[in-house]
């Protein structure tokens, strides 16, 4: 039972509560909408490779750090980091990282509700017989038409905003634990069916090659930064979501195992989405780099050609909408839990207030597709800016700060105590956070700023050497420090 006043910290109810909620947060539009279209935009396998490397080397250790922070600090990002800083006798100013994270989660939600609105509107289109068009071009036109009317698009995103705030207002556990329970297996099953269909669509080989024919020399600076940002986005990192959910994790659950499971599920869903979508795109002569509308133009066409297609289409878009909701609620949870501890208002009231602010900003993201399509700065609309600022800059920067906090600022003994790792596993985690994560993120940043050009096909040994040198230096210094 959830009660309105939360005196004690609420904890996830079931044994799988956290795993389900974190997976629900991680698996969303990022996997099914954004991953395929970014892969298309950045040339396929090169992007996939960067993304996979970033998940393993940066995403997983940072996710573990966030859960550790959340569970140790037991509070919103700001409060948890403050508590940890105090415990480690460090400046409370480090909790600024928590503020930035909260802001980031909120800004993402402002454009996420628009995309989720697309998913919802396609549920309606399936039900009302609005699909069943003859060609990719016709679906492209339909997608355009959905966007060109500010009232319709605004209506759908408003619906998503309201639903998100209602679920958050009632308490996260209630909604999430139940829906993710059956949604995740359902989504995987449906994607599997679509892959089987795609396997016979005539474009399968081309699709698989596009995704997996890795070639280091094709990796561009843009793809590096995009892959880094997307790894954070898809795992819901550096935005307070995972940290806040971690605050509700009961003691005694293994953080490492949990993280690996969530990251694994998330990656599998993204790759499955890619395998379902790209063959269809090639078989129908579509351009893989056609941007954010990619899945809304390619998938309906595939459904039309499948037996019982409209049923599959309905189930798919319903699941996509639900996956979007289990993610969207995690983006405001940090803000709500922060306000809950610092204001006298109830969760319900706070959701109304926060939802209102969110709604106003999201309307500007809606207008980016119609009346405000010309409101551009540096060639980007409000929608583009929200995505760009958060994914390319705020999240990687937040990830860097998280690594620094865990690797250098907070008391190592407390972290070790909380994470429950020993021996090699502990040392590997420390090593990744202290050296690998910061070096990689900083290099990608410098590359994006144009200070130098990273070429992984010739320079990887360089990077390994820098990391090794830093590690040697760092470990010697800290040993001397400990001895003196
Ligand atoms: N990870 C989700 C997805 O892939 C999106 C998401 C949920 C998110 N919570 C977040 C992204 C917090 C950034 C920050 O769709």
């Amino acid at each position: 039972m959830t009660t309105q006043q939360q005196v004690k910290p609420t904890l996830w109810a079931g044994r799988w509560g956290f795993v389900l909620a974190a997976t629900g947060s991680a698996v969303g539009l990022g996997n099914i909408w954004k991953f395929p279209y970014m892969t298309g935009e950045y040339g396929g396998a090169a992007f996939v490779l960067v993304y996979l490397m970033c998940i393993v080397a940066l995403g997983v250790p940072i996710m573990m750090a966030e859960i550790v922070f959340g569970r140790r600090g037991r509070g919103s990002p700001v409060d948890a980091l403050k508590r940890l800083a105090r415990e480690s006798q460090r400046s409370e100013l480090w909790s600024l990282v928590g503020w930035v994270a909260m802001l980031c989660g909120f800004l993402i939600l402002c454009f996420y509700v628009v995309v989720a609105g697309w998913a919802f509107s396609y549920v309606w289109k399936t039900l009302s017989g609005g699909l069943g068009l003859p060609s990719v071009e016709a679906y492209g036109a339909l997608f355009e038409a959905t966007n060109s009317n500010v009232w319709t698009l605004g209506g759908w995103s408003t619906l998503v905003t309201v639903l998100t705030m209602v679920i958050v207002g009632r308490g996260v556990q209630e909604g999430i634990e139940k829906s993710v329970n059956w949604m995740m297996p359902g989504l995987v099953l449906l994607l599997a069916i679509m892959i089987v269909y795609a396997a016979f669509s005539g474009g399968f080989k081309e699709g698989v090659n596009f995704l997996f024919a890795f070639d280091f020399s094709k990796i561009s600076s843009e793809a590096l930064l995009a892959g880094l940002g997307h790894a954070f986005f898809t795992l819901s990192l550096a935005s307070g979501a995972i940290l806040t959910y971690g605050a509700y994790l009961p003691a005694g659950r293994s953080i490492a195992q949990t993280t690996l499971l969530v990251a694994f599920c998330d990656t599998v869903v993204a790759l499955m989405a890619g395998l379902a979508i790209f063959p269809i795109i090639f078989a129908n002569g579509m351009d893989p780099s056609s941007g954010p509308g990619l899945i809304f133009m390619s998938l309906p066409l595939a459904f039309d050609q499948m037996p019982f297609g409209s049923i599959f289409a309905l189930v798919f878009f319903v699941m996509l909408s639900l996956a979007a909701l289990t993610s969207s609620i995690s983006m405001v949870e940090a803000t709500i839990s922060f306000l809950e501890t610092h204001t006298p208002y109830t969760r319900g009231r706070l959701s109304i207030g926060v939802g209102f602010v969110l709604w106003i900003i999201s309307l500007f993201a809606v207008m980016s597709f119609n009346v405000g399509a010309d409101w551009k700065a540096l060639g980007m609309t409000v929608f583009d800016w929200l995505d760009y600022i958060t994914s390319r800059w705020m999240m990687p920067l937040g990830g860097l700060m998280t690594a620094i906090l865990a690797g250098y600022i907070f008391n190592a003994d407390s972290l070790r105590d909380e994470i429950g790792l020993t021996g090699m596993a502990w040392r590997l985690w420390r090593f990744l956070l202290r050296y690998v994560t910061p070096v990689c993120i900083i290099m990608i940043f410098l590359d994006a700023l144009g200070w130098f050009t990273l070429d992984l096909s010739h320079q990887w040994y360089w990077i390994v050497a820098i990391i090794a040198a830093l590690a040697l230096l760092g470990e010697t210094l800290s040993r001397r420090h400990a001895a003196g």
Side-chain angles (χ1 to χ4, degrees):
M1 286 293 290
T2 36
T3 47
Q4 279 301 313
Q5 314 96 326
Q6 290 164 324
V7 190
K8 277 186 291 176
T10 21
L11 297 179
W12 298 110
R15 179 178 153 76
W16 293 102
F18 176 80
V19 175
L20 291 173
T23 313
S25 168
V27 176
L29 297 165
N31 305 63
I32 295 168
W33 159 74
K34 199 171 182 189
F35 172 73
Y37 103 71
M38 301 255 302
T39 304
E41 214 153 84
Y42 292 102
F47 176 81
V48 176
L49 183 62
V50 174
Y51 157 80
L52 289 177
M53 292 194 308
C54 287
I55 294 276
V56 174
L58 320 177
V60 167
I62 289 181
M63 189 183 238
M64 287 167 62
E66 282 201 27
I67 303 175
V68 170
F69 293 174
R71 192 164 74 178
R72 188 85 183 176
R74 287 271 185 237
S76 76
V78 176
D79 298 295
L81 294 184
K82 222 177 241 175
R83 221 161 277 156
L84 271 157
R86 231 177 282 142
E87 185 189 33
S88 312
Q89 294 167 329
R90 293 299 189 132
S91 162
E92 288 189 8
L93 278 179
W94 288 109
S95 62
L96 261 176
V97 177
W99 282 100
V100 176
M102 253 169 31
L103 179 67
C104 182
F106 187 80
L107 291 178
I108 291 171
L109 191 51
C110 295
F111 74 89
Y112 204 83
V113 294
V114 179
V115 185
W118 288 336
F120 276 80
S121 81
Y122 274 69
V123 172
W124 172 245
K125 286 188 177 60
T126 320
L127 283 174
S128 61
L131 300 183
L133 302 175
S135 63
V136 171
E137 288 72 31
Y139 277 110
L142 178 69
F143 184 66
E144 291 285 302
T146 312
N147 289 337
S148 61
N149 187 328
V150 66
W151 296 104
T152 349
L153 193 58
W156 287 113
S157 73
T158 303
L159 175 69
V160 177
T161 311
V162 170
L163 286 176
T164 303
M165 298 326 291
V166 167
I167 301 177
V168 173
R170 298 189 49 200
V172 173
Q173 285 90 336
E174 280 282 297
I176 305 187
E177 291 201 40
K178 282 181 201 128
S179 66
V180 185
N181 233 333
W182 58 270
M183 204 190 70
M184 220 34 74
L187 196 63
V188 168
L189 184 70
L190 201 64
L191 283 173
I193 295 175
M194 289 165 69
I195 294 174
V196 172
Y197 168 79
F200 295 103
S201 70
F204 199 62
K205 223 176 132 207
E206 216 177 330
V208 172
N209 274 339
F210 184 73
L211 280 169
F212 298 115
F214 297 140
D215 179 355
F216 273 113
S217 66
K218 290 220 184 92
I219 298 176
S220 64
S221 311
E222 269 291 283
L224 271 174
L225 189 63
L228 174 71
H230 187 63
F232 284 101
F233 185 90
T234 192
L235 292 179
S236 310
L237 298 179
S239 50
I242 294 294
L243 195 156
T244 310
Y245 278 8
Y248 311 141
L249 178 67
R253 296 282 308 174
S254 162
I255 291 178
Q257 277 173 20
T258 306
T259 302
L260 287 173
L261 187 61
V262 174
F264 177 78
C265 293
D266 186 72
T267 310
V268 167
V269 173
L271 295 178
M272 285 181 85
L275 278 175
I277 289 162
F278 284 107
I280 295 169
I281 290 181
F282 291 115
N284 290 285
M286 272 182 84
D287 179 5
S289 65
S290 45
L294 192 68
I295 66 162
F296 297 101
M297 299 186 234
S298 60
L299 291 181
L301 193 67
F303 288 129
D304 287 343
Q305 297 163 358
M306 286 160 94
F308 307 108
S310 51
I311 296 176
F312 281 125
L314 182 64
V315 177
F316 177 81
F317 285 117
V318 167
M319 288 203 171
L320 186 62
S321 305
L322 290 177
L325 272 183
T326 55
S327 298
S328 65
I329 50 185
S330 74
M331 293 179 214
V332 266
E333 181 59 20
T335 308
I336 296 288
S337 94
F338 173 79
L339 292 174
E340 225 182 353
T341 30
H342 295 277
T343 66
Y345 304 110
T346 58
R347 194 167 246 278
R349 291 211 163 184
L350 291 170
S351 316
I352 296 174
V354 172
F356 185 73
V357 180
L358 167 73
W359 181 65
I360 299 290
I361 304 178
S362 74
L363 289 182
F364 286 91
V366 165
M367 289 189 261
S368 300
F369 293 94
N370 33 66
V371 292
D374 297 330
W375 308 340
K376 285 186 178 174
L378 300 175
M380 291 191 288
T381 59
V382 176
F383 179 95
D384 299 335
W385 269 107
L386 287 168
D387 183 13
Y388 178 78
I389 292 276
T390 50
S391 286
R392 305 295 162 92
W393 300 99
M394 289 177 84
M395 279 192 271
L397 213 63
L400 176 63
M401 292 312 297
T402 305
I404 290 175
L405 287 177
Y408 298 94
I409 308 299
F410 293 153
N411 186 316
D413 292 331
S414 315
L415 299 181
R416 173 150 47 180
D417 182 40
E418 193 63 48
I419 199 168
L421 290 176
T422 49
M424 274 309 281
W426 161 256
R427 265 182 271 153
L428 176 67
W429 183 65
R430 282 287 282 177
F431 174 77
L432 287 172
L433 283 178
R434 279 169 73 92
Y435 307 107
V436 179
T437 309
V439 168
C440 292
I441 296 180
I442 289 172
M443 283 199 184
I444 294 176
F445 269 142
L446 295 181
D447 182 45
L449 292 169
W451 290 19
F452 79 108
T453 312
L454 255 173
D455 177 353
L456 290 178
S457 57
H458 315 35
Q459 291 171 351
W460 62 267
Y461 42 81
W462 240 80
I463 300 170
V464 173
I466 293 178
I467 292 174
L470 277 176
L472 207 64
L473 184 72
E475 293 311 301
T476 319
L477 283 180
S478 56
R479 213 156 286 151
R480 202 173 287 166
H481 188 74

